Amino acid sequence: MSLRVVLADDHLVLRQGVRALLERHGLEVVAEASDGRAAIEVARELEPDVAVLDIMMPLLNGIDAARQIVEACPHTQVVMLTALEQERLVTDAVRAGVRGFVLKTQAGEDLAQAIEQVSRGGFYVGAGVSQAVVEACRAAAAADHGRLTSRERQVVQLVAEGKSTKQVAALLAITPKTAEFHRARVMKKLNLHDVAGLVRYAIREGLIQP
């Protein structure tokens, strides 16, 4: 099944060109948006695999839109379209949860590769992007590894207590799909392969009683 993508940029011609390019690579563009607020709305509604955002958009910029999309749709990854003069914003974008950076001037093969890579949980830095961006992404990846979010810690505790995916979803008021995503991400972060390992981690971290 092809990856589902939301594309947000305030320039219609650029959106049309990028959409055609992505579709040639077998990716499905499920919605377009012309500003940051609209991007958040369609992401919440459609829960795409990847959201491609322009860093500068009206009503709400790409970085703040990315932050809200990541919070509302934890399984949606974000790729940022950027320009060389905007690289000072990269650290903020990484902190907001952006996992891929592609220069608009290189938005050809690079963008399709970025979408594929971030959808698998990796980081992607396109050709022509400076070493500073690479280092910011490396630092974020290192910090990301092994550090659980508050929601992930909640999931760990409930799973370690023996709750099923449906029970976890009901208790946290999220969908079973989102609950399963959190569980899988936790296992990957902690390099665990079974529930027994997760239980041992929860005991060690004081999340449950032994």
Side-chain angles (χ1 to χ4, degrees):
M1 190 169 69
S2 60
L3 293 173
R4 300 167 67 252
V5 179
V6 161
L7 176 61
D9 192 289
D10 55 322
H11 296 97
L12 176 60
V13 173
L14 187 142
R15 285 204 316 273
Q16 290 174 334
V18 171
R19 180 180 191 130
L21 181 149
L22 296 181
E23 289 175 344
R24 283 201 301 271
H25 281 82
L27 301 169
E28 181 186 3
V29 178
V30 294
E32 297 180 22
S34 59
D35 63 72
R37 293 189 185 280
I40 295 168
E41 289 177 8
V42 294
R44 283 176 171 162
E45 178 185 353
L46 300 173
E47 296 190 351
D49 298 298
V50 178
V52 177
L53 310 178
D54 183 11
I55 202 166
M56 300 298 291
M57 290 188 289
L59 300 183
L60 189 69
N61 66 78
I63 293 174
D64 287 329
R67 183 177 291 108
Q68 292 190 43
I69 288 171
V70 169
E71 289 175 355
C73 313
H75 69 280
T76 298
Q77 306 297 340
V78 179
V79 173
M80 193 72 77
L81 290 173
T82 184
L84 284 171
E85 65 271 16
Q86 296 166 336
E87 288 190 352
R88 60 187 175 78
L89 302 173
V90 163
T91 301
D92 288 340
V94 171
R95 287 174 180 158
V98 176
R99 302 185 75 87
F101 296 88
V102 176
L103 289 179
K104 284 188 175 182
T105 54
Q106 302 286 335
E109 296 287 333
D110 263 13
L111 185 54
Q113 290 178 24
I115 290 169
E116 296 280 355
Q117 190 154 323
V118 302
S119 73
R120 297 192 294 268
F123 277 83
Y124 185 91
V125 179
V129 180
S130 77
Q131 188 63 26
V133 179
V134 176
E135 293 304 325
C137 288
R138 282 178 179 166
D144 193 39
H145 180 71
R147 186 179 64 191
L148 303 186
T149 65
S150 174
R151 176 50 57 88
E152 286 169 346
R153 287 172 65 85
Q154 290 176 311
V155 170
V156 168
Q157 178 176 341
L158 293 173
V159 171
E161 288 175 350
K163 302 291 192 297
S164 68
T165 298
K166 285 185 178 180
Q167 289 172 319
V168 170
L171 287 166
L172 298 181
I174 57 179
T175 65
K177 182 179 178 181
T178 300
E180 184 56 41
F181 169 82
H182 282 307
R183 174 174 166 164
R185 184 167 171 80
V186 164
M187 301 291 273
K188 182 177 180 180
K189 276 187 177 183
L190 301 178
N191 195 28
L192 298 174
H193 307 289
D194 53 34
V195 174
L198 198 65
V199 171
R200 288 192 293 271
Y201 171 85
I203 293 171
R204 190 167 64 248
E205 293 295 309
L207 298 176
I208 62 171
Q209 294 291 329

